[in-house]
Amino acid sequence: MRRLSRGISEAVAVVIAFAILSVAMLYLLTNLLLVPVAEQKAVELPLGYSDESLVLFVAGGNLMVKNVGSVPVHIKYIVAINMSSNSKVLLNSLRSTQCNFNASNAVINPGGTAAITCASGYAPLAVVTERGRVFSIDPRFYAIAIGRSYGIPMTTVYGGIMFTSSSGLLKFLENKTMMYSGAVNTSIKMDLYLNTSGNINANLNAALILIGLNPANNKLNMLIIGSGSLGSGQQITVNSGSVDLSKVAMYRYRLKIENFSGTISPNLGPGIYPCYINFSRGCQLTINGRADRIVLYTNSSKITGGIVGLDPYIFVGDLNKNGNVEVVFVTQDFSTGNSNSVNDVLTVSVLTVSGRRQTYVDATVKPVRLVFSGTPIDSSRYRMAILSLGMFFWDNSEDDVQDNDNRVIMRVGLYDAVNKSFVYSTYLSYYELNRYRNVKPFSISYITKDFMIYVPNTGRTYYVAVEIADPYNVEGARNDADIILGLEYIGIALSVYSG
């Protein structure tokens, strides 16, 4: 077995703080935004919002703004950098003394172009429309225009060792009941069979294995996915009790082991081991040691669908040994597929069942929302924020866009704890994310995505929130992707209002 967890993490706070340059200042504002500017959106905006479309470019030393959309656009703010203080400022388009906007009442009609001229020492970066859209200049032009580099200090919202077990995620879940019920709709339901601690000895033939380090104590966390039908002799002994997986997990099981110390054979370190994905067979695995939490979810030896909690689908641990504990959401079980076949299937042949192909399609009932209340944002003080998101993604669709419609996988933005809703958000879509992985053989890349977020001046305190989802159940043989999505880091940089 070889380890196939690849990619270099770009999400460590220190790297982001010093490696993202002033070219990356726009980087943060534009092309590294995980979706094109035209796809960004704030929630619950008036009809016609999606028709706003601006292109920004440099001409004659000025920042030009061209309306390529179908509706007039009112520019409310100009985002600029004060080069003497190396700080970002948000300027009123009609009242600013630092930057002037030559359009009447700061309105650009369809097909029209307006210019932004700034005083010496200020460089324009982006504009914010009255409806909250953020449009920014291509970073290549920005580099030519200002010819200097600036580091962008980030405050860590999520990163390092904020928790080390699945239960620690409860601190951030908006709906905490989703951890154990009402979260994932599955074609073959699993029930909680075992939940304890102590000594464990297991002989398994696993389809998918995740192993991560707990940096707080150098112990291991594991999520092991398989089926009793993958091979004989699969057995788990916990303390004095023995479990024969061929009897209680004919169709599938998910085994979580947290804070484990002991031996693993073969000698596996932190990483993702996609046995069935790569080889269409399981990997032999022997575990012997002690753990603080041993949780086994199995099917009930019969085929029934249903809705279960997040617990068997969540893994927590440092996969790449960089000191950041990843939260990984996993709906993948066994195989890959395409638009002509259901993606996640397994041929079951145990006891009285022989040669039966079963489908394992899991999908979230609704997005799973994480709210990071440890970093409050005072909307009376700040007007703009840059959110930096470190993550990885994989799905089991071999022909990508032919197999799945473009749906939202992850959303990030500002959260109103009173109304329990986003006040501004941007998103990662499936068509964007599937560019960063190879389906078979399994390969992922750690990526950093950066977003420009407008902070509405309401006087309220907001928080950073993230939503994750597997929006694909099954429609014939399409829209049936199962995913592996890891969140490693969230950082934020805030900008004050300057006129």
Side-chain angles (χ1 to χ4, degrees):
M1 185 191 311
R2 63 192 180 100
R3 179 179 166 192
L4 292 172
S5 176
R6 307 197 320 190
I8 299 173
S9 173
E10 303 173 52
V12 183
V14 122
V15 174
I16 296 174
F18 296 102
I20 301 179
L21 305 174
S22 144
V23 181
M25 175 71 192
L26 240 338
Y27 221 50
L28 297 174
L29 306 178
T30 174
N31 283 359
L32 266 195
L33 301 175
L34 45 169
V35 292
V37 169
E39 291 184 15
Q40 296 178 57
K41 65 176 184 178
V43 297
E44 300 176 351
L45 291 176
L47 187 66
Y49 169 80
S50 60
D51 294 327
E52 289 188 340
S53 184
L54 302 177
V55 173
L56 279 64
F57 59 95
V58 175
N62 298 326
L63 179 61
M64 309 302 294
V65 184
K66 182 176 179 62
N67 186 346
V68 296
S70 58
V71 297
V73 177
H74 179 195
I75 306 300
K76 190 170 184 179
Y77 298 109
I78 300 167
V79 183
I81 187 167
N82 184 334
M83 291 184 284
S84 62
S85 63
N86 190 22
S87 61
K88 304 173 295 296
V89 293
L90 191 71
L91 308 171
N92 189 294
S93 62
L94 295 177
R95 297 195 299 270
S96 169
T97 59
Q98 294 94 336
C99 294
N100 296 318
F101 200 75
N102 72 351
S104 176
N105 296 318
V107 175
I108 309 176
N109 290 316
T113 301
I116 298 174
T117 304
C118 291
S120 177
Y122 288 85
L125 309 177
V127 295
V128 183
T129 73
E130 188 176 41
R131 292 178 175 175
R133 294 289 301 281
V134 179
F135 295 92
S136 48
I137 185 177
D138 188 294
R140 292 168 298 177
F141 292 122
Y142 175 71
I144 295 170
I146 68 173
R148 293 178 59 183
S149 296
Y150 300 93
I152 302 173
M154 285 277 172
T155 298
T156 298
V157 175
Y158 172 75
I161 312 173
M162 297 184 71
F163 55 87
T164 57
S165 65
S166 300
S167 60
L169 192 64
L170 288 169
K171 177 181 178 181
F172 302 103
L173 270 175
E174 180 193 58
N175 183 354
K176 302 184 189 318
T177 63
M178 292 181 70
M179 180 60 78
Y180 303 109
S181 64
V184 179
N185 188 17
T186 176
S187 58
I188 297 184
K189 185 180 178 182
M190 292 175 294
D191 298 312
L192 179 61
Y193 187 90
L194 183 68
N195 186 2
T196 187
S197 62
N199 297 317
I200 177 170
N201 180 277
N203 294 295
L204 305 169
N205 194 17
L208 178 63
I209 306 166
L210 285 79
I211 301 177
L213 188 69
N214 177 350
N217 56 21
N218 286 322
K219 294 183 178 181
L220 296 176
N221 291 347
M222 290 178 268
L223 175 61
I224 303 166
I225 299 170
S227 164
S229 67
L230 281 175
S232 61
Q234 292 199 76
Q235 189 163 315
I236 301 172
T237 301
V238 178
N239 299 322
S240 59
S242 182
V243 180
D244 184 347
L245 293 176
S246 68
K247 295 180 179 179
V248 303
M250 177 190 302
Y251 297 107
R252 69 166 165 176
Y253 65 82
R254 289 192 174 218
L255 173 64
K256 296 182 72 170
I257 304 172
E258 295 181 334
N259 277 334
F260 171 83
S261 57
T263 61
I264 303 173
S265 180
N267 186 21
L268 302 180
I272 301 176
Y273 302 90
C275 307
Y276 203 89
I277 296 167
N278 283 349
F279 311 116
S280 297
R281 55 180 171 81
C283 295
Q284 294 293 326
L285 185 68
T286 300
I287 300 168
N288 190 6
R290 183 174 181 83
D292 291 345
R293 186 174 186 234
I294 304 165
V295 182
L296 177 64
Y297 288 87
T298 73
N299 69 289
S300 57
S301 296
K302 60 182 179 180
I303 304 171
T304 56
I307 298 175
V308 298
L310 280 174
D311 192 34
Y313 295 90
I314 290 290
F315 168 84
V316 172
D318 182 1
L319 288 167
N320 53 8
K321 300 177 68 174
N322 70 347
N324 280 346
V325 174
E326 286 101 334
V327 176
V328 187
F329 178 56
V330 185
T331 56
Q332 169 68 19
D333 289 273
F334 301 106
S335 70
T336 63
N338 54 44
S339 55
N340 296 314
S341 63
V342 177
N343 292 356
D344 204 348
V345 300
L346 180 69
T347 300
V348 177
S349 183
V350 175
L351 299 177
T352 59
V353 181
S354 178
R356 177 183 292 169
R357 285 175 60 84
Q358 297 300 144
T359 62
Y360 299 81
V361 181
D362 305 307
T364 48
V365 175
K366 60 182 178 180
V368 179
R369 183 177 293 175
L370 306 176
V371 180
F372 298 95
S373 57
T375 309
I377 300 166
D378 183 354
S379 68
S380 64
R381 180 180 179 187
Y382 299 106
R383 286 296 176 272
M384 302 297 297
I386 298 171
L387 289 178
S388 186
L389 186 72
M391 61 169 297
F392 65 82
F393 175 81
W394 181 90
D395 74 280
N396 60 7
S397 293
E398 295 174 6
D399 52 5
D400 304 330
V401 301
Q402 287 78 29
D403 194 18
N404 298 288
D405 297 333
N406 196 23
R407 297 176 182 174
V408 174
I409 303 295
M410 177 178 283
R411 188 184 301 275
V412 60
L414 296 182
Y415 173 79
D416 185 336
V418 176
N419 295 322
K420 294 188 179 300
S421 64
F422 282 105
V423 295
Y424 192 100
S425 68
T426 60
Y427 62 84
L428 284 162
S429 69
Y430 174 73
Y431 286 5
E432 167 69 17
L433 286 174
N434 67 27
R435 300 185 298 135
Y436 302 108
R437 92 291 188 255
N438 188 67
V439 176
K440 193 174 183 178
F442 179 95
S443 175
I444 59 172
S445 294
Y446 279 77
I447 56 174
T448 299
K449 292 294 183 179
D450 302 284
F451 307 85
M452 187 76 166
I453 301 293
Y454 171 61
V455 182
N457 182 15
T458 63
R460 293 185 179 179
T461 297
Y462 298 124
Y463 304 95
V464 176
V466 172
E467 283 185 348
I468 57 177
D470 179 344
Y472 300 107
N473 198 331
V474 63
E475 299 169 12
R478 293 189 70 256
N479 289 322
D480 57 346
D482 283 333
I483 70 173
I484 304 174
L485 186 152
L487 175 64
E488 185 181 54
Y489 174 84
I490 303 174
I492 190 171
L494 293 163
S495 173
V496 298
Y497 179 56
S498 299

